[in-house]
Amino acid sequence: MPMREVYFAQPPIEILRQWMDHVGWYERKPPCAFRQLIDIQFIGCMGPPGGGRNPVTNRFLRHFNFIAFAEMSDKSVCRIFELILSATLERKFAKEIQDICGKV
């Protein structure tokens, strides 16, 4: 994340936040037209501050949903995806393709 300024602002993040609040921003040059960006989705990933990572303002973070979980073992991850794959194959594919799930 960019370095914080004296009053804790981070200009690149503030531009993104302004879009999320107002779906656009005004140009700085006259006639100061309002510019909109349409059909945009934001996905972010971040770790805790420290080691070169700066904190992000709550004004920006309020626009996101947070998902956090503990690290899982390889066996647990394989089991989860095996169940998802087998459920999908059972609903949409023939028996000979469903049998492949255990081998994947």
Side-chain angles (χ1 to χ4, degrees), residues 8 14 19-20 31 34 48 50 54 57 61 77 80 87-88 99 103:
F8 303 108
E14 288 302 314
W19 181 87
M20 291 177 170
F34 189 74
N54 296 315
T57 64
L61 291 178
V77 172
I80 290 169
T88 302
D99 295 336
K103 299 175 185 175

Side-chain angles (χ1 to χ4, degrees), residues 24-96:
W25 49 84
Y26 288 97
E27 277 192 28
R28 295 179 64 186
K29 296 179 183 178
C32 300
F34 189 74
R35 299 293 180 185
Q36 290 183 310
L37 300 176
I38 300 171
D39 294 334
I40 295 178
Q41 295 181 5
F42 289 94
I43 297 174
C45 179
M46 59 186 282
R53 293 185 298 267
N54 296 315
V56 179
T57 64
N58 288 331
R59 292 175 67 189
F60 183 62
L61 291 178
R62 69 182 174 170
H63 295 287
F64 294 94
N65 295 315
F66 291 89
I67 299 173
F69 56 90
E71 189 68 32
M72 293 184 282
S73 68
D74 289 343
K75 184 178 177 182
S76 296
V77 172
C78 287
R79 178 71 178 145
I80 290 169
F81 285 106
E82 182 181 314
L83 289 173
I84 293 170
L85 179 61
S86 65
T88 302
L89 292 177
E90 285 175 10
R91 279 188 281 138
K92 299 183 179 183
F93 293 95
K95 180 70 175 150
E96 52 272 358

